[in-house]
Amino acid sequence: MSWISDPSLVAAVSNAGGVGILATGPLNEKETRDAINVIRSKTRNPFGIGATLLMPGATENAKVAIEEQVPILNISLGKGDWIAERVHEYGGKVLSTVTNAKHAQSALESGADALMLTGHEAAAHGGDVTSLVLVPCISKRFPEVPLVAAGGFADGRGLAAAISLGADAVAMGSRFAITQESGLAQRMKDIVSNADIDGGSTEADTLYGKHFDGIPARVLRSRESLRLNTKPASLPFVISRAFAAARKMNIPLYKVIPGLLTQFDKMYIIAQFGAATESLMKATVDGNFEEGVQFIGQSQGLIGDIPTVDDLVQRIVLDAIECSKHSNQTFSRGEQ
């Protein structure tokens, strides 16, 4: 959700009754602090910040969020015990993103209060297991832990289904990216919200592979995303592009170089991710579909408009209620 889940979208989601999560991936410490202040000027409701701990700058941004006593820290790809300890001191909560039971157990042992379960259908870095299987499996293993289902959910039917599977809430990143308040480029909103079977963006028009940014990821199908997913980029190209991306995102090179020398395998993945930044920005920020790459989930097949966040939330809740009523009536007939 980098460049998409900005202060405007975060505040709109929280004001509508959800919990907005600020994407801090492209932000430095000052930008993160400024964004938190902007959110607080727009809403008094709870919100969170996201921190992908594997990435450069994420630890610093998490520390800023802790200093600002942000209510919820959503962390992923890293050990967060020190975060949980400090967040709990001021009464905050830690939401850890996981893709399987092993990761879930590790997150809980590190102090996570709740889990976001990212299924295979999700945009960007979903796991190997679909939400239909992942959610009930984790719910069965950890019945007392609050669960947020992510991946494949974009409407009221999805919300109702997730609750039935054992989740307590849903995350709908792709759906909320296609709203009026979202920071996503308008052209990409128009492309994703085109629901035509011929020429539109359907549930089948995504790609899932590891060659784009070094971590298995789901993106919108395009000529460029097909090309970049064909084979991994060469090491010199990845490193040079990663350094260029670090400069563009104001990440000092001294934070990148030591890791390349001491933790090559991990930092090579980070370098690949950094090298992908230019392509992501072309689509997400500039709306350049032809030369850029857009993270999107299979739930794009359920998206056919660009509503306000408040209208969308109200629609989702009402549809979920109607769907639940229909399910109850179906099972009630079986008892007669």
Side-chain angles (χ1 to χ4, degrees):
M1 295 292 283
S2 292
W3 305 286
I4 298 174
S5 193
D6 58 12
S8 294
L9 181 58
V10 171
V13 172
S14 291
N15 283 332
V19 177
I21 304 290
L22 175 70
T24 64
L27 307 181
N28 59 34
E29 295 163 76
K30 181 181 183 305
E31 290 167 336
T32 296
R33 196 181 305 275
D34 290 344
I36 291 170
N37 290 331
V38 171
I39 293 168
R40 283 185 164 142
S41 74
K42 294 175 176 288
T43 184
R44 295 183 178 181
N45 295 334
F47 67 95
I49 74 114
T52 304
L53 299 178
L54 180 66
M55 301 303 169
T59 296
E60 290 79 4
N61 285 337
K63 289 179 179 177
V64 168
I66 291 168
E67 291 169 6
E68 295 292 333
Q69 298 192 2
V70 171
I72 300 169
L73 266 70
N74 176 207
I75 62 174
S76 60
L77 296 179
K79 192 170 177 60
D81 49 350
W82 66 273
I83 293 176
E85 182 178 350
R86 294 184 61 184
V87 168
H88 292 158
E89 288 177 357
Y90 63 81
K93 301 296 182 182
V94 174
L95 172 65
S96 288
T97 297
V98 300
T99 59
N100 57 50
K102 183 177 180 180
H103 293 164
Q105 182 173 342
S106 178
L108 293 172
E109 290 173 351
S110 294
D113 300 287
L115 301 173
M116 182 179 292
L117 313 178
T118 307
H120 187 63
E121 305 93 331
H125 307 109
D128 294 327
V129 184
T130 65
S131 295
L132 184 63
V133 175
L134 180 63
V135 175
C137 280
I138 303 301
S139 176
K140 182 179 180 179
R141 286 183 181 272
F142 309 104
E144 304 302 320
V145 178
L147 304 178
V148 180
F153 304 104
D155 58 14
R157 290 171 298 177
L159 172 57
I163 300 300
S164 297
L165 290 171
D168 301 282
V170 291
M172 298 183 176
S174 294
R175 174 63 272 197
F176 281 89
I178 315 300
T179 57
Q180 293 181 24
E181 293 91 341
S182 158
L184 181 63
Q186 184 61 44
R187 183 163 182 242
M188 297 310 303
K189 293 181 186 180
D190 293 337
I191 290 172
V192 173
S193 62
N194 180 358
D196 292 344
I197 292 179
D198 296 319
S201 297
T202 73
E203 70 283 354
D205 293 314
T206 68
L207 295 173
Y208 184 80
K210 66 179 182 179
H211 294 322
F212 171 57
D213 68 357
I215 306 173
R218 188 174 301 283
V219 299
L220 181 62
R221 180 184 293 271
S222 68
R223 184 177 300 175
E224 183 67 1
S225 65
L226 281 166
R227 183 182 73 82
L228 292 175
N229 266 297
T230 301
K231 61 181 180 179
S234 66
L235 176 60
F237 176 78
V238 167
I239 293 177
S240 65
R241 286 280 298 276
F243 284 168
R247 287 192 295 269
K248 193 167 187 179
M249 296 168 65
N250 297 317
I251 298 175
L253 294 184
Y254 71 80
K255 293 185 178 181
V256 179
I257 294 174
L260 280 171
L261 298 177
T262 61
Q263 304 180 62
F264 180 77
D265 290 344
K266 182 182 291 186
M267 289 305 295
Y268 181 59
I269 293 175
I270 296 174
Q272 285 181 283
F273 192 88
T277 299
E278 182 179 348
S279 296
L280 291 170
M281 292 184 70
K282 282 182 179 179
T284 305
V285 178
D286 301 330
N288 186 343
F289 174 67
E290 290 72 23
E291 299 180 0
V293 176
Q294 180 65 55
F295 285 142
I296 200 71
Q298 290 179 323
S299 63
Q300 72 172 359
L302 297 167
I303 300 171
D305 61 353
I306 309 175
T308 66
V309 166
D310 188 68
D311 285 347
L312 176 60
V313 170
Q314 302 311 316
R315 181 204 307 171
I316 289 170
V317 172
L318 290 174
D319 287 350
I321 292 171
E322 289 303 313
C323 184
S324 297
K325 288 180 180 178
H326 175 74
S327 296
N328 288 336
Q329 290 170 356
T330 299
F331 288 113
S332 295
R333 285 198 295 269
E335 295 176 354
Q336 295 175 357

